[in-house]
Amino acid sequence: MYFKNIVGKEEIKRNLVKTVKSSRIPHAQIFLGKEGTGGLAMALAFSSYIMCENKSENDSCGLCNQCIKSHKFIHPDIHFSFPVVKFGEKKREITTSDDFLPKWREILFKNPYMNTSEWLDHIGAENSLPNINVKECNDIIHKLNMMSYESENKVLVLWLPEYLGTEGNRLLKLIEEPTENTYIILVSENQDQILQTILSRCQLVKLPSFENEEISRFLEEQMSIPYDKANQISNQADGNINLAINIGKNEVNDYSELLIEWLRAAFRSDPIQINKWIAEVSNLNKDEQKNFFEYGLEFEE
Ligand SMILES: [Zn+2]
């Protein structure tokens, strides 16, 4: 992830870059912003920038040995933690983020602005309650205390510290006295749900909602959505880039035909047409089905 992939937020990027250049990266930071404000994307771009061996004035190079790994989210010194549920047959107590890393990378490639429920859908969590458990906290402590592998720096990106519960207190020492060249970035959507003890020990970086104009630009440049449509979507999205992406996807896949066919078949109570329609929808993958229903809901409005 590059900084340049994130539209706008120039001041935040500038400040983050400055901390790297002046070797004053805070040991523990919270990137705070509600859903769709790009906290995780910013943390990814920032970790790549920290690791890059050939940084430009304002972004990672994307080409050096460190970037090749960090941009694929496989850098051994960039650790990820995030809320999970039980993994397959494994007991929940011994399941950690590491078990879900392939799924995690998959979703980051697809949409680093995703929300919690999209993540839980992606790992098939269904109705289980996700969290960040004791073993995860102990693993984090262990990982950050070990020597780094390839870079002189180590970074932990912990997405949604809201899910730590009181286990988070285990991380206090680490946050207070981190080992050298170790940087902790917590990415949170809700300040009220973070342990006060953690909150008070981290530097806060607040991410505002995206401007409509920024979202339009993103839709045009990165999703090839035409100008007028992009403006219309950005108005609907109300500063939430994840919502804009989801609406945008529906625009790319034009679901209007499918919706009309459905209404027509239902109106006529024509069993052959209805069965044909069902067969067509069951051929869509789960995401497409979800997008279709979201499209249908919007249509009603
Ligand atoms: Zn690089």
Side-chain angles (χ1 to χ4, degrees):
M1 187 90 198
Y2 293 97
F3 281 127
K4 66 179 177 206
N5 293 141
I6 305 167
V7 285
K9 305 200 191 294
E10 299 306 334
E11 194 185 341
I12 294 175
K13 294 181 203 167
R14 230 179 357 254
N15 287 338
L16 290 173
V17 163
K18 205 159 85 186
T19 63
V20 177
K21 283 189 186 154
S22 57
S23 309
R24 301 177 84 100
I25 312 172
H27 285 300
Q29 307 188 68
I30 298 182
F31 289 7
L32 178 70
K34 51 185 191 206
E35 183 201 320
T37 53
L40 182 58
M42 195 63 87
L44 298 171
F46 185 47
S47 350
S48 283
Y49 192 72
I50 292 176
M51 294 298 183
C52 179
E53 286 168 344
N54 193 18
K55 312 178 204 324
S56 74
E57 270 303 295
N58 46 26
D59 223 329
S60 56
C61 77
L63 299 169
C64 70
N65 276 334
Q66 308 293 326
C67 278
I68 287 171
K69 290 178 182 152
S70 74
H71 284 243
K72 284 192 202 145
F73 317 117
I74 51 171
H75 196 295
D77 298 314
I78 301 178
H79 305 282
F80 293 109
S81 268
F82 36 82
V84 296
V85 295
K86 186 168 136 11
F87 181 75
E89 293 306 303
K90 219 167 162 178
K91 282 204 179 95
R92 176 63 190 107
E93 306 92 89
I94 53 164
T95 303
T96 63
S97 299
D98 283 352
D99 294 308
F100 290 94
L101 274 178
K103 284 269 169 202
W104 175 251
R105 291 178 189 126
E106 214 172 82
I107 203 165
L108 292 187
F109 277 120
K110 238 167 76 181
N111 177 14
Y113 303 97
M114 83 281 189
N115 65 24
T116 323
S117 65
E118 284 159 347
W119 165 241
L120 295 176
D121 253 16
H122 186 65
I123 58 172
E126 278 147 20
N127 298 323
S128 334
L129 225 49
N131 70 339
I132 297 177
N133 64 5
V134 184
K135 176 153 178 20
E136 179 95 38
C137 293
N138 292 336
D139 283 5
I140 290 173
I141 296 167
H142 179 70
K143 284 175 185 171
L144 295 191
N145 278 315
M146 275 196 319
M147 295 273 286
S148 53
Y149 294 93
E150 293 190 14
S151 161
E152 54 178 17
N153 300 308
K154 272 174 289 180
V155 176
L156 167 74
V157 175
L158 190 153
W159 185 52
L160 302 177
E162 293 87 314
Y163 287 87
L164 271 168
T166 48
E167 303 311 339
N169 283 317
R170 291 169 188 265
L171 301 178
L172 286 185
K173 193 165 174 289
L174 195 70
I175 291 174
E176 242 170 13
E177 307 161 22
T179 43
E180 230 186 318
N181 301 327
T182 301
Y183 308 106
I184 297 171
I185 306 167
L186 310 178
V187 180
S188 167
E189 290 178 356
N190 189 344
Q191 183 170 356
D192 299 338
Q193 287 172 14
I194 310 175
L195 286 179
Q196 195 51 40
T197 40
I198 291 192
L199 197 60
S200 61
R201 287 165 173 83
C202 294
Q203 189 137 331
L204 207 57
V205 177
K206 285 192 182 167
L207 290 118
S209 297
F210 284 96
E211 305 285 336
N212 282 9
E213 172 273 320
E214 292 165 349
I215 291 191
S216 301
R217 184 147 44 96
F218 175 90
L219 295 170
E220 275 188 271
E221 286 170 5
Q222 298 188 36
M223 291 180 77
S224 308
I225 291 176
Y227 178 79
D228 287 343
K229 198 82 219 171
N231 278 341
Q232 192 190 327
I233 298 172
S234 70
N235 278 330
Q236 261 176 287
D238 195 25
N240 178 340
I241 203 165
N242 183 46
L243 183 59
I245 290 171
N246 284 321
I247 304 174
K249 268 194 258 168
N250 296 345
E251 296 295 336
V252 173
N253 297 325
D254 187 1
Y255 291 118
S256 59
E257 259 316 296
L258 194 59
L259 188 69
I260 291 166
E261 271 173 37
W262 182 26
L263 295 174
R264 203 173 278 151
F267 181 72
R268 289 187 187 144
S269 309
D270 177 344
I272 297 169
Q273 281 305 318
I274 291 176
N275 277 325
K276 208 180 124 211
W277 187 88
I278 292 172
E280 195 177 341
V281 171
S282 51
N283 275 333
L284 300 175
N285 67 35
K286 206 177 149 200
D287 279 343
E288 289 170 331
Q289 287 176 355
K290 199 173 140 244
N291 290 338
F292 170 68
F293 287 117
E294 273 166 10
Y295 175 84
L297 286 172
E298 261 168 54
F299 187 82
E300 198 193 37
E301 284 167 6

